[in-house]
Amino acid sequence: MTDPERDPHNGGHVTEDDLILLQYGEAPHPQAIDAHLRVCPACRAAQAEIRATLEAVNAADAGEVPDRAAGYGAQVWARIEPRLSGGRLAWLRLPAMPSRRWALAAVLIVMLLAGFLAGRLSRTEPEMPSGPISQEARDRILLLAMTGHLERAQAMLAEIANLNGVAHDAPQAPGSPPGVDISSDRDRAADLVAAGRIYRHSASRAGETGLELLLDELERILTDIAHAPSEITRDELHAIQKRIEDRGILLKIRAIGSQVRQREKERRAYTGRIAI
Amino acid sequence: MSRMGGDEASFVARARTGDAEAFRVLVEEHSHRLFRLAYRIAGNEQDAEDIVQETFIKAHRSLARYDDRATFGAWLTRIASNQAVDVVRARRRGGERVEAQDPDDPDPVDRLAETDAGPERRLLSVEVTRRVSHAMSRLTPNERAAFVLRHHEERSIAEIGAMLRLSENATKQCIFRAVRKMREALRPLAAHGWPERGARES
């Protein structure tokens, strides 16, 4: 305490900062501050107010932090254990993610499986094996689902990239920049973010680095759109469009999507040759 | 009750050799505490649960770098605090505000109505709690983390600085600003008798 006005030795009031440190037992000269407090009603009142504030924090906290069940630690372990262990199937296990989204993820996976099986049956291909679904089939389901996801993201970003920033029907106030309603794009972006995370984790575990990086980049831009206001200014729209353009994200989606489709085509050709 | 019997170091050593069962015991030992820490910084259950999981995954990946200079618990606290700061920061970047209270929670008025205090006192208590929660939700991620670590976890300022990678002075300023914001939030209640007379004079 070198500032004379802040130094109790000089008869100045104790600063709020020092009173806070005193409260936490970290004041540099606690005896000097205590001595000042004994003779200074103003500083004593300030100290009492700080103490009451911190007690109020405790009171607010007491009912605020929700309890976890006794088995919470075991639950945490069950959720993270698949991500800690290695092994060939590890990447297919669902990642630790918000439990609110587990339901969505489960629904998504069931839909993917149902869609895949329906497609197989409708093509009058050989009878489905009755055993558990194979590793290859799982890979294909995820790969095909990712292709669809990328196509939806591409379509949405292309729409944003082509928005002209002219206000919708509302008359423009003189001198104010027109707003652009992106509320529907925002909702679509939020859906794509939730699904994209599942695919990104899967790609990561499959060692599909290019796909993972693309999905990560895509997630960032989609998250920004999902959290944007429903109506953005023309400048904000241009900033998003510039980001899409600068990063060449549409081009990358097209390139990766094309690679995925090509791999699927080659696989089918190979499977066909084996069948012959 | 702890399954480690005070011998955490041996469980950590076993976990470092790849013993999954030993790491499982460490996870079960520290999950509750980390959840409370994460909840206080992040402000909601969902993020807090994610933070706990990510903390253990990061710790598992970094076990080789754990050097015994800090206790294992302090090391986990450091990882969890930074993870929580990142989560709050990302959420703020996304334009989200930390909710002071889950709308599904029981109304604090209902909780306090069961006490024996008079109606005015109860109302004041409700308002104090509401204002503190609101002020907490408006702290910056670093202010919130530094304050939680000092106030609730009782970590020293030097420890907090090391955990959050802040200088000692920056850590102090985070804590000062946090307390100041809460004090300012409660100041309007002085006209209604807060803090109580006994507290003012003690």
Side-chain angles (χ1 to χ4, degrees), chain B residues 19-195:
Chain B
D19 184 337
E21 187 54 32
F23 193 68
R24 177 194 183 114
V25 173
L26 293 166
V27 168
E28 294 188 6
E29 180 72 15
H30 289 280
S31 286
H32 280 87
R33 183 181 64 77
L34 289 183
F35 174 80
R36 287 192 294 275
L37 168 71
Y39 183 88
R40 284 172 174 140
I41 299 176
N44 71 68
E45 286 184 66
Q46 201 55 63
D47 284 339
E49 291 203 344
D50 292 346
I51 289 162
V52 171
Q53 291 173 38
E54 288 303 320
T55 296
F56 284 119
I57 288 164
K58 282 187 176 172
H60 188 263
R61 286 181 189 146
S62 312
L63 269 173
R65 291 202 293 275
Y66 170 59
D67 62 5
D68 296 344
R69 273 181 297 184
T71 64
F72 189 68
W75 187 61
L76 288 176
T77 299
R78 174 185 178 156
I79 297 172
S81 302
N82 284 291
Q83 181 72 17
V85 166
D86 288 346
V87 165
V88 177
R89 204 170 273 153
R91 222 169 44 196
R92 299 275 168 97
R93 268 202 304 270
E96 287 184 18
R97 279 246 167 239
V98 178
E99 290 298 326
Q101 188 189 340
D102 186 333
D104 293 329
D105 277 351
D107 192 316
V109 175
D110 294 339
R111 289 203 298 264
L112 287 159
E114 293 167 9
T115 66
D116 292 326
E120 285 178 19
R121 163 103 184 275
R122 283 183 307 217
L123 201 61
L124 185 61
S125 297
V126 172
E127 185 58 15
V128 167
T129 302
R130 194 186 68 78
R131 283 172 177 268
V132 168
S133 297
H134 183 64
M136 280 291 285
S137 76
R138 295 183 63 192
L139 302 182
T140 67
N142 273 340
E143 287 168 3
R144 193 160 172 135
F147 178 73
V148 166
L149 288 167
R150 178 56 266 193
H151 188 77
H152 295 290
E153 296 283 314
E154 299 184 352
R155 301 279 172 186
S156 72
I157 287 168
E159 272 183 295
I160 297 166
M163 283 179 175
L164 300 178
R165 294 185 285 269
L166 296 172
S167 70
E168 190 167 323
N169 189 48
T171 308
K172 278 183 185 171
Q173 293 307 320
C174 282
I175 295 167
F176 295 156
R177 281 196 299 269
V179 176
R180 199 169 296 134
K181 285 176 186 178
M182 275 178 278
R183 201 177 164 196
E184 283 164 8
L186 293 172
R187 192 160 287 152
L189 299 180
H192 302 278
W194 186 88

Side-chain angles (χ1 to χ4, degrees), chain A residues 128-140:
Chain A
M128 282 292 295
S130 57
I133 195 162
S134 69
Q135 170 76 27
E136 187 205 353
R138 291 185 193 199
D139 286 351
R140 282 189 61 209

Side-chain angles (χ1 to χ4, degrees), chain A residues 15-50:
Chain A
T15 64
E16 182 184 43
D17 293 354
D18 282 340
L19 288 174
I20 294 168
L21 289 177
L22 182 75
Q23 199 63 36
Y24 286 128
E26 297 209 43
H29 305 287
Q31 290 89 357
I33 296 174
D34 278 339
H36 177 82
L37 289 175
R38 278 195 289 276
V39 298
C40 179
C43 286
R44 215 162 45 237
Q47 186 209 14
E49 195 187 321
I50 289 168

